[in-house]
């Protein structure tokens, strides 16, 4: 798969931050192309078609989508990949994260909330006979990670963070039998737990620290450029 990155980088189009090329982001066989222009994006898609043919690979165009972010993100003609059209859409799921296009990049947290509540209800349904601390531990182990998935890499607004915080607080309310209008801050403090907002902050710090200390060094340079 690395040959896709090499050929796209040699093409000379796509997004870059300083000297770091980020026009093609790969995870296994999931390819994300980033380009500031429609013409450049089509050139990248053509290069992917050419490379796939060279490697005797095929793209599943039904699973391919285009999302535009910026002031001029409407009225764009469909793109083509391997002779097939790729339509523009309002949102796309990539590696479990729902990206929304428009004037600015946004993230849809509603799918994560639905999955989170489904996991919570399953634990409550099957864990009615265990004590509160064990039940809380189960929720922290299996449900909370769903709510916090990818949060260190996402830029959530205050409203979204508050919504996710309320989701987790609702679990604390139910575990310890509190009413919805009662605060659970004292409970979390007494148990030595952080609330959701501080958990996200802690994970962000750890995430950026691991990136800064990672190798190769261009990742560290990338963070320096960002900050």
């Amino acid at each position: 798969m690395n040959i896709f990155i090499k050929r796209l980088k040699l093409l000379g189009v796509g997004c870059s931050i300083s000297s770091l090329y980020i026009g093609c982001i790969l995870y296994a066989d999931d390819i994300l192309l980033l380009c500031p222009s429609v013409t450049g994006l089509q050139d990248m898609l053509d290069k992917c078609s050419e490379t796939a043919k060279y490697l005797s690979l095929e793209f599943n165009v039904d699973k391919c989508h285009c999302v535009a972010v910026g002031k001029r993100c409407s009225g764009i003609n469909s793109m083509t990949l391997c002779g097939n059209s790729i339509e523009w859409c309002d949102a796309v799921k990539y590696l479990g994260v729902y990206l929304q296009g428009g004037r600015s990049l946004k993230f849809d947290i509603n799918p994560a909330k639905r999955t989170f509540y489904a996991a919570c209800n399953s634990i409550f349904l099957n864990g009615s006979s265990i004590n509160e601390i064990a039940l809380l531990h189960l929720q922290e182990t299996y449900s909370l990670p769903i709510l916090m998935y990818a949060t260190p890499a996402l830029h959530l607004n205050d409203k979204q963070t508050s919504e996710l915080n309320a989701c987790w607080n609702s679990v604390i309310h139910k575990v310890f039998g509190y009413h919805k209008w009662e605060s659970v801050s004292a409970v979390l403090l007494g148990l030595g737990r952080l609330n959701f907002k501080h958990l996200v902050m802690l994970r962000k710090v750890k995430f950026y620290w691991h990136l800064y200390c990672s190798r190769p060094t261009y990742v560290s340079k990338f963070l320096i450029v960002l900050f």
Side-chain angles (χ1 to χ4, degrees), residues 109-117 119-120 139 142-152 154 156 160-171 196 200 203:
I109 62 172
N110 290 317
K113 289 168 60 177
R114 289 193 292 268
T115 306
F116 167 76
Y117 281 126
C120 289
Q139 296 288 8
Y142 296 102
S143 302
L144 184 58
I146 298 173
L147 208 59
M148 299 192 67
Y149 176 73
T151 50
L154 303 181
L156 302 176
Q160 289 176 316
T161 304
S162 296
E163 286 183 21
L164 296 178
N165 184 65
C167 290
W168 181 237
N169 282 351
S170 67
V171 173
F196 182 83
V200 172
R203 292 190 68 168

Side-chain angles (χ1 to χ4, degrees), residues 48-100:
C48 286
S49 300
E50 176 188 314
T51 305
K53 184 177 181 180
Y54 170 75
L55 296 173
S56 298
L57 297 175
E58 291 185 5
F59 284 102
N60 187 346
V61 182
D62 293 335
K63 294 184 177 181
C64 298
H65 307 280
C66 291
V67 175
V69 179
K71 296 180 179 179
R72 301 177 181 178
C73 59
S74 60
I76 307 174
N77 294 329
S78 60
M79 314 301 289
T80 60
L81 176 65
C82 300
N84 299 296
S85 296
I86 304 177
E87 300 299 328
W88 294 88
C89 56
D90 297 327
V92 63
K93 180 183 178 182
Y94 182 70
L95 300 181
V97 177
Y98 289 81
L99 309 174
Q100 293 180 311

Side-chain angles (χ1 to χ4, degrees), residues 198-224:
H198 287 93
L199 286 173
V200 172
M201 291 173 60
L202 181 61
R203 292 190 68 168
K204 281 181 178 288
V205 170
K206 290 181 178 179
F207 175 69
Y208 288 124
W209 176 250
H210 285 311
L211 279 181
Y212 182 78
C213 297
S214 66
R215 294 294 182 269
T217 56
Y218 65 77
V219 177
S220 301
K221 293 179 180 179
F222 169 70
L223 287 174
I224 293 172

Side-chain angles (χ1 to χ4, degrees), residues 7 15 26 32 45 65 102 115 120 127 144-145 164 195 206 227:
R7 290 196 170 189
C15 292
L26 275 173
L32 179 65
L45 289 170
H65 307 280
T115 306
C120 289
L144 184 58
L164 296 178
N195 62 26
K206 290 181 178 179
F227 294 108

